[in-house]
Each structure stands twice: as C-alpha cells, then as structure tokens.
Amino acid sequence: MDNTFLTILFFLFLSTLHHPISASNLHKFKQLNSDFLAQSTSSHHTHTPPSPTKYFEVTKPIQLPKTKPCSYHVLHHDFGYTYGSPPVIANYTSPSHCSSNKFSKIVLEWKATCVGRQFDRIFGVWLDGVELLRSCTAEPRTNGIVWIVEKDITRYQSLLLNHEKSQTFAVFLGNIVDKTYTGVYHVDVTIHFYPFVVNTHKTKKINSLAFGSGFHADLILPISRNLPLNDGLWFEIQNSTDVGLKEFAVPRNAYRAVLEVYVSFHESDEFWYTNLPNEYLAANNLTNNTPGNGPFREVVVTLDGKVAGSVWPFTVIYTGGVNPLLWRPITGIGSFDLPSYDIEVTPFLGTILDGKSHVFGFSVTNALNVWYIDANLHLWLDAESSRTEGELVNHIDKPLVESLVSDFIGLNGTFLTSAKKSILTTGWVRSSFGNITTSFVQNFDYYNKMVMAKDGGKQTVNQVIFFNDSVRAKLPLSYLDLVDNTHRRFSLYLDTDELEQNNDTYLAVSNATLGFDVNKSHSKGSGFSNSFLNNVQDGQGTMVVKKNLVISGVGETQQDYRYKSDEYCYFRKIGVSNYTILYDKVKNSCNKRSRSRFGLNYIRKLPIML
Ligand SMILES: *[C@@H]1O[C@H](CO)[C@@H](O)[C@H](O)[C@H]1NC(C)=O
Ligand SMILES: *[C@@H]1O[C@H](CO)[C@@H](O)[C@H](O)[C@H]1NC(C)=O
Ligand SMILES: *[C@@H]1O[C@H](CO)[C@@H](O)[C@H](O)[C@H]1NC(C)=O
Ligand SMILES: *[C@@H]1O[C@H](CO)[C@@H](O)[C@H](O)[C@H]1NC(C)=O
Ligand SMILES: *[C@@H]1O[C@H](CO)[C@@H](O)[C@H](O)[C@H]1NC(C)=O
Ligand SMILES: *[C@@H]1O[C@H](CO)[C@@H](O)[C@H](O)[C@H]1NC(C)=O
Ligand SMILES: *[C@@H]1O[C@H](CO)[C@@H](O)[C@H](O)[C@H]1NC(C)=O
Ligand SMILES: *[C@@H]1O[C@H](CO)[C@@H](O)[C@H](O)[C@H]1NC(C)=O
Ligand SMILES: *[C@@H]1O[C@H](CO)[C@@H](O)[C@H](O)[C@H]1NC(C)=O
Ligand SMILES: *[C@@H]1O[C@H](CO)[C@@H](O)[C@H](O)[C@H]1NC(C)=O
C-alpha cells in the first residue's frame, strides 16, 4: 500500500446491525462494503496519537441547579459479541441513600470507551420497558476513543423515583466481535440526581394542573416489547404493511396523556431519504440489490386502529454514515441522542378510561427493513378523584397526499417527491380540574429533489420536512387557556460524487448539510414564552478508494448551534477537520457584551483532540 497515504480503515455506510448496506451511490459504494478490510502494516502506527480521541455531539449543556448530585452507578458492561443476545440488565432501585428525595434535575450519563475497529451500533436504554435513551455508538480508532452522552431524563422522574419496587434497567447494544471487528464497547451508565435548591419548588405547587411543557407525568407506561427478547425492546418494522402492536391499560383517573415515540432506521432504510423510486430501479434492473420505495417515510401511530398522530422523522446520520470521517470528533446531529417525538393523546383519553386494555400500533409508510420503534405513554393522574371521564369529539385524519415527478433516461434522472398531511383530534376530559377540551393538530409538508447524474455515479438530494404541531387546552376559566406550538423544519442536502482516477482508484467526494429549526411557543392565559433552536452542520469529505478499499480520506465539518429562549441562550460555532478541532466559539449568555469572555474561557478548557 502506498506509504504516502495515511491509511484509514473504517466502514462505509455502517449499518447498525446485520450487514452494512450502502444507499447513496449506486454501484461502487455498494461494493466497498463487502471487502474493504485490508490493513496496511506499512503505515501502521506512524500517525497514531497516544491518547484516545474524545468524540462528542454539539448541543446545549443541561441547565443544572447548584446542588451536589447524588450519583447512582447503575450498570457496567463490556459489549463484545452481544449480537443475538438478550439486553444486558441490572436491578434498579430508586435511590434511597440520597439526602433529599426531591430532585429538580435527573441526568443519565452514558460513558463508553472502545479500541480497535468496529461499526457504529444502535443501542437503547430502558427502565422497566420505558425507553430513556436511543443512541448510536461512535466508531473506534486503533488508539481508542471515549465518548460521553448526557441526557436530561427528568421527565421520567415518576419512574426513576418509584420506591415501590426494584425495576429492570436494560441496555441493548448488538455488537459483533471477531478477528476483524475488534472493538468491544466498555460502558458505564450512571444516573445523577440533583436536589432542588431550597425554596424553589413553589411554582410547581401553584401549577398543579400539569398541562404544557415542564410538567412531568405521574406515571409512564412502556409501549415497547416485553422481556425477554433477543433484539432490544423496540418493535422491528420490516415493511410498509408491518405493524407493531402493544396492549396497555390506563388508570381510570388520568386527565392527560402524551405518547413519546422513539424511532431509528437501519439497513435498507438507514438512508431512506436517498432511496430511489421503484420505477427507476425497475427500468435499470436494480430492484434486487438497491433500496427503493422512494425517499418519503412517515411513522404512523394508531390507537385502537384510529390514527392518533404521525412522526416525520429527522434524518439522523449515524457515525459511520455517508463519509465516517465527517463525524470525528463531532458527531452527526442527533446521533448520540436520537430525538423522540411527542404525540398528545389527551383528546383520546375518553376512549381509554374504561379500565380495559387498548392497543397502540406503529407502522411506517413505504418502509423497508428495518425501523426500530417504541414509545412511552406519559400519564397525569387526578389526585383528587378516582375516576375521570371524557370523549373524543373530533378526529380528522386527512389522507396523505404524496406525489412523484420522475424524469430519467437510463441511470440519469431527476425526481421530485412531495407529501402533505394533517391530523386533528379534539376531545374533552372532566377531572377535578373541571372540564378541559384539548385539541392536537399536526401539519406536515415534505419536499425531496433528487438528481442522479454520471450514470448513477453522482447523487444529489435536497430535502426539507416541515413538521408543526399545536396543543390547545380550553380550561373552565378561559384566562388560563393553554397553547403550545412547535414548528420544526428538518433540512438535508447531500451530494455524493465519484471522480475516476488512475489504477482502479477513485475519489469519493461527499458534501452534506444537515440541520433543523425547532421553535416553540407556550402561552398560558396572558403569559407567554418562546424558544428558538437552529442547529446546522456542513460537512465536506473525500475518500480515496482503490480496488474497493478506502486507502485514505479526510473529512471536515462546521457546525453552528443557536439556542435562544427567554431565560437562557447558547451559541456555539465549531469547525473540525481530520479529528482536530480548528475553532470552537461558545457564548452562553443572551447578552452580547459577554461574548468574547465566554468564548475565550471555553476554548482554554478544551482538551487537545487528535
Ligand atoms: C436482581 O435482583 C434479584 C432479586 O434480588 C436477583 O435474583 C437477580 O439476580 C438480580 N439481577 C441482577 C441482574 O443483578
Ligand atoms: C412484512 O413484514 C411482516 C413481518 O415480518 C411479514 O409477516 C410480511 O409477510 C411482510 N409483508 C410483505 C409484503 O413483505
Ligand atoms: C437483470 O439482471 C440480471 C442479473 O444481473 C440478469 O440476469 C438479467 O438478464 C437482467 N435483466 C435485464 C432486463 O437486463
Ligand atoms: C365538557 O365540555 C364539552 C364541550 O364544552 C361538552 O360537550 C361536554 O358535555 C362537557 N362534559 C361534561 C361532563 O360536562
Ligand atoms: C409550519 O409553520 C410555519 C411557521 O413557522 C409555516 O410557515 C409553515 O407553513 C407551517 N407548515 C405547515 C405544514 O403547517
Ligand atoms: C448520463 O449523464 C452523464 C453526465 O452526467 C453523461 O455523460 C452520460 O452520457 C449520461 N448517460 C445517459 C444514458 O444519458
Ligand atoms: C424559527 O424562528 C426563526 C426566527 O424567527 C425563523 O427564522 C425560522 O424560520 C423559524 N423556523 C420555523 C421552523 O418556524
Ligand atoms: C498507478 O499505476 C502506475 C503504473 O501502472 C504506477 O506507476 C503508479 O504508482 C500507480 N499509482 C497508484 C496510486 O497506485
Ligand atoms: C463540496 O464542497 C467543496 C468544498 O467546500 C466545494 O468546493 C464543492 O463545490 C462542493 N460540491 C458540491 C457539489 O456542493
Ligand atoms: C490528518 O491528521 C494526521 C495526524 O493525525 C496527519 O498525519 C495527516 O496528514 C492529516 N491528513 C490530512 C489530509 O490533513
């Protein structure tokens, strides 16, 4: 192997479990996956930095109270050959050794190290079947890597602080270790409980009616598969007709219900937003080996057969996706902490308060194998009564309008896919708070423009999803009416090109822009609060591929993260290239004057990452 190249071995289009599958460029990327492993011994160790590389996802820090946390080390495990095994479990008992039993923040810390060679693997963390975290591992290097994911899990406090029984804490991470894929993931999970600062929980009492953001459920039911299982606690949705079903029953005094849905996509649908229309694949005789069904996907949630809501997911790119070098050391948006999506099911409560069992169903429009989906049902219970009642009064599930305009000759072509949908549900629930009518509205819009050029050697995808929803609660006293609006825009630009070189060698060039806007507004009577989050990554990567082997490559990524709310702001601009941080500016105050001071302080604190 050519000594002038830094030999980088890694895996393209890592697919989290079984076989890696490519999705972007039609021909060559696909072949790369099967036989790209041939380590160069000549350049081995030449550039190996001594210490492990620290990977991280750029996101705003969790706002913590100034109290000393009570920490609980829940699990240690070395995930070696875990594929096909049941989830790893530990007993969890609500912390009784803490000096306080009221906490204002609860943070889950996942810390992992790995050395060697390994794919990116999807994993999930559950407590008594309630999913707390969906995430993807980082891909190791020969000198080792370390990464930490911290997630605010305060919303699960009723479960975490349940003193009645010991609960099962489960982690499923399907990994394969052999002579080639040597990476074992050494994992520690710790939960940190931060007590309240004395005298600050007054506001909680005043707002005993827990509607709107910031109030946590009294009970959380798992809408996941039951133990014991070999493949995690999620449902595996394998095609467009497959439905994951879960029976459940709610206490008869619930007055609010929110279904939190976790979603991740793998194998043939890992890059669903790049999948080609079937008519193109058929015309080019590619139906056997190229993922199709076009680039539109929708996760549909039903309750007793009626559509309760949908999720048009954010395009998370896992750590091995597109060009793995783009995600080192900053990882793709959402890859270490996949977003979950809330569906307000309060309008349906009246139909499930009968004490009997009911069924949630999950399906994915146009799905290919495989989607991992499960959910948590957050319930608020009426402390003053043993029975609430309600009725679903309006349910409009406008059918999905999907359109495709194709124009292709051979392997060259342009495809415009668009989709639109809205769902509205309204229902009332009468509890000791009075008779409250809740409406939940979701509005979706989707556009995808895909261009195939160079006889399939170049693919460009431009996609945008608008995903708005609103929850309105009409209270007996109208000056207390609540409105929560969330407007989301998920965007993706992906350009992958192959430039032929000499001697069976080509250059794979990928540019990606991945980002979202999430704007939230909350109003309660005359009170009003807003938050804006805009998070965008731009990446440019090249890989030199010779005889199906990646022999060198480099990736650069710039990220711009901007969060603004009435109480708190956080801005970060960071650029990385080839495992190194080029610049990193942080401003965590809304006040412009403090900018440079914060920026400088932060930079000094960063370790050198190579
Ligand atoms: C959990 O506790 C039970 C009962 O105390 C015990 O039998 C079991 O082995 C424990 N499981 C783990 C994973 O520690
Ligand atoms: C879809 O997947 C389900 C579950 O694996 C399977 O039973 C069914 O036959 C599949 N349907 C089609 C059309 O492939
Ligand atoms: C499609 O590909 C298969 C396998 O490569 C080949 O046997 C078949 O003849 C091809 N069909 C057409 C219509 O090109
Ligand atoms: C609750 O309010 C709705 C809408 O105003 C009304 O139709 C319903 O009858 C009320 N329910 C009760 C039990 O008062
Ligand atoms: C979503 O809300 C934005 C305003 O933030 C609006 O421009 C857009 O049209 C809405 N989209 C849908 C599908 O409702
Ligand atoms: C496809 O487009 C490329 C340029 O991107 C061109 O060289 C090639 O001839 C085209 N193939 C066909 C079948 O038109
Ligand atoms: C979010 O708010 C910003 C600032 O008002 C606006 O530019 C952006 O378009 C909004 N995004 C969405 C999805 O509504
Ligand atoms: C390409 O091939 C030529 C002669 O066949 C050789 O001299 C050259 O070193 C090769 N280049 C690479 C990058 O392998
Ligand atoms: C990809 O990014 C590089 C570097 O910024 C730029 O020169 C090139 O034009 C981009 N290509 C495309 C197709 O966007
Ligand atoms: C990437 O970084 C390594 C050191 O870690 C260096 O040896 C190599 O030349 C760099 N490659 C590029 C393309 O900058």
Side-chain angles (χ1 to χ4, degrees):
M1 191 156 297
D2 195 328
N3 256 336
T4 60
F5 290 125
L6 164 67
T7 300
I8 300 174
L9 284 168
F10 53 76
F11 312 103
L12 290 177
F13 297 114
L14 138 295
S15 182
T16 36
L17 286 171
H18 328 263
H19 24 274
I21 295 201
S22 79
S24 284
N25 283 24
L26 279 175
H27 304 298
K28 291 172 176 164
F29 277 16
K30 178 152 235 130
Q31 297 159 5
L32 281 176
N33 293 307
S34 48
D35 54 354
F36 47 72
L37 292 164
Q39 179 144 22
S40 153
T41 45
S42 50
S43 62
H44 198 59
H45 290 146
T46 316
H47 299 298
T48 304
S51 61
T53 308
K54 185 181 177 191
Y55 289 5
F56 58 101
E57 181 174 342
V58 172
T59 184
K60 64 183 191 300
I62 300 166
Q63 294 288 95
L64 296 171
K66 289 191 171 61
T67 53
K68 191 176 176 315
C70 176
S71 299
Y72 177 6
H73 182 251
V74 185
L75 180 131
H76 171 87
H77 193 78
D78 302 317
F79 290 86
Y81 202 113
T82 46
Y83 185 65
S85 308
V88 169
I89 59 172
N91 286 328
Y92 174 95
T93 48
S94 172
S96 50
H97 64 288
C98 300
S99 54
S100 171
N101 60 0
K102 292 238 186 304
F103 304 101
S104 65
K105 274 287 183 240
I106 306 175
V107 175
L108 180 143
E109 180 195 291
W110 166 281
K111 183 175 182 190
T113 61
C114 190
V115 178
R117 215 183 273 168
Q118 197 46 269
F119 286 104
D120 49 355
R121 306 288 185 186
I122 194 75
F123 67 89
V125 176
W126 293 264
L127 181 59
D128 255 16
V130 169
E131 185 157 356
L132 305 178
L133 173 70
R134 179 80 57 96
S135 184
C136 163
T137 61
E139 289 195 355
R141 312 175 70 183
T142 46
N143 63 301
I145 58 162
V146 55
W147 83 100
I148 292 174
V149 181
E150 285 179 321
K151 179 171 178 182
D152 183 347
I153 54 166
T154 316
R155 77 181 293 195
Y156 306 104
Q157 61 176 289
S158 61
L159 179 77
L160 292 157
L161 302 177
N162 180 351
H163 290 278
E164 281 162 28
K165 58 180 173 111
S166 167
Q167 302 179 88
T168 304
F169 188 89
V171 176
F172 180 75
L173 190 167
N175 192 21
I176 295 175
V177 172
D178 57 22
K179 271 189 287 185
T180 317
Y181 308 96
T182 53
V184 172
Y185 290 105
H186 307 282
V187 174
D188 283 285
V189 182
T190 307
I191 300 181
H192 304 285
F193 298 83
Y194 290 83
F196 273 100
V197 175
V198 184
N199 282 338
T200 55
H201 50 289
K202 270 188 215 145
T203 47
K204 206 177 150 98
K205 279 220 165 104
I206 296 164
N207 291 305
S208 57
L209 174 64
F211 250 102
S213 44
F215 299 99
H216 307 302
D218 301 304
L219 176 69
I220 307 171
L221 298 180
I223 309 295
S224 55
R225 297 214 291 186
N226 301 324
L227 274 170
L229 278 178
N230 292 338
D231 46 10
L233 295 168
W234 42 56
F235 297 98
E236 296 188 23
I237 307 300
Q238 301 185 336
N239 56 49
S240 58
T241 54
D242 200 0
V243 187
L245 296 170
K246 174 78 175 200
E247 282 193 22
F248 68 98
V250 304
R252 305 189 73 173
N253 64 338
Y255 69 90
R256 186 182 179 207
V258 171
L259 188 74
E260 179 194 19
V261 184
Y262 279 89
V263 167
S264 60
F265 24 83
H266 308 283
E267 298 184 43
S268 299
D269 259 359
E270 178 173 350
F271 305 98
W272 48 272
Y273 38 86
T274 67
N275 282 14
L276 286 148
N278 292 340
E279 59 191 76
Y280 169 90
L281 297 180
N284 289 293
N285 197 11
L286 289 167
T287 46
N288 288 337
N289 50 11
T290 312
N293 282 6
F296 173 73
R297 299 292 180 274
E298 172 187 27
V299 177
V300 180
V301 178
T302 57
L303 176 48
D304 293 334
K306 280 198 168 108
V307 172
S310 284
V311 173
W312 292 22
F314 178 67
T315 51
V316 177
I317 299 178
Y318 308 125
T319 57
V322 181
N323 176 337
L325 293 171
L326 296 174
W327 319 119
R328 303 168 183 213
I330 63 174
T331 190
I333 293 173
S335 58
F336 281 176
D337 181 6
L338 272 80
S340 63
Y341 304 87
D342 285 354
I343 292 174
E344 183 78 36
V345 289
T346 308
F348 281 93
L349 259 184
T351 69
I352 57 174
L353 286 168
D354 53 7
K356 298 196 174 124
S357 86
H358 295 272
V359 180
F360 274 116
F362 304 97
S363 61
V364 183
T365 307
N366 298 333
L368 292 178
N369 195 30
V370 61
W371 287 66
Y372 295 156
I373 301 178
D374 65 16
N376 304 323
L377 182 60
H378 296 250
L379 293 164
W380 285 259
L381 307 178
D382 188 350
E384 310 281 304
S385 88
S386 58
R387 289 286 278 275
T388 52
E389 60 169 333
E391 191 186 1
L392 175 68
V393 293
N394 198 4
H395 179 249
I396 302 170
D397 168 31
K398 288 210 183 135
L400 176 73
V401 181
E402 195 188 344
S403 80
L404 167 66
V405 180
S406 289
D407 176 12
F408 62 93
I409 300 172
L411 288 161
N412 295 335
T414 300
F415 310 92
L416 302 171
T417 308
S418 62
K420 228 181 194 354
K421 165 148 177 172
S422 50
I423 302 167
L424 171 125
T425 54
T426 303
W428 57 263
V429 175
R430 200 183 61 161
S431 66
S432 68
F433 299 108
N435 183 355
I436 299 175
T437 297
T438 306
S439 293
F440 179 55
V441 181
Q442 291 188 302
N443 284 308
F444 301 94
D445 237 326
Y446 167 98
Y447 304 94
N448 181 297
K449 180 180 180 186
M450 205 185 294
V451 178
M452 300 298 294
K454 295 166 84 173
D455 294 318
K458 178 169 161 65
Q459 183 181 32
T460 309
V461 176
N462 253 298
Q463 177 175 291
V464 59
I465 294 172
F466 294 94
F467 176 171
N468 296 349
D469 56 40
S470 80
V471 177
R472 283 160 193 275
K474 283 176 76 74
L475 276 73
L477 297 167
S478 61
Y479 66 89
L480 290 176
D481 283 357
L482 292 155
V483 183
D484 266 338
N485 284 314
T486 306
H487 292 192
R488 306 176 188 82
R489 180 179 189 274
F490 301 156
S491 56
L492 175 81
Y493 165 78
L494 202 55
D495 183 85
T496 52
D497 194 4
E498 289 170 11
L499 307 171
E500 296 294 337
Q501 318 238 290
N502 301 323
N503 315 357
D504 292 327
T505 302
Y506 70 93
L507 193 64
V509 181
S510 326
N511 288 4
T513 302
L514 174 69
F516 66 78
D517 269 4
V518 177
N519 295 347
K520 294 187 181 193
S521 68
H522 173 70
S523 72
K524 177 173 184 172
S526 55
F528 204 78
S529 65
N530 282 310
S531 71
F532 304 89
L533 171 56
N534 178 236
N535 188 7
V536 183
Q537 284 180 324
D538 260 306
Q540 307 83 39
T542 56
M543 295 181 283
V544 178
V545 182
K546 183 176 180 168
K547 293 190 177 128
N548 301 327
L549 279 173
V550 177
I551 56 171
S552 76
V554 67
E556 290 182 27
T557 301
Q558 304 84 45
Q559 185 163 0
D560 193 353
Y561 185 100
R562 311 174 150 266
Y563 176 80
K564 246 193 304 193
S565 74
D566 305 326
E567 307 90 49
Y568 175 64
C569 298
Y570 183 80
F571 306 92
R572 187 165 182 181
K573 262 182 190 289
I574 181 167
V576 300
S577 172
N578 189 22
Y579 296 95
T580 306
I581 293 175
L582 303 178
Y583 59 87
D584 187 1
K585 291 193 174 140
V586 175
K587 180 183 146 196
N588 54 9
S589 127
C590 305
N591 176 349
K592 279 187 175 154
R593 277 169 298 169
S594 57
R595 175 180 201 143
S596 57
R597 213 185 74 223
F598 277 106
L600 281 176
N601 280 347
Y602 201 90
I603 288 167
R604 278 200 213 109
K605 276 188 212 152
L606 280 170
I608 307 287
M609 298 181 197
L610 282 170

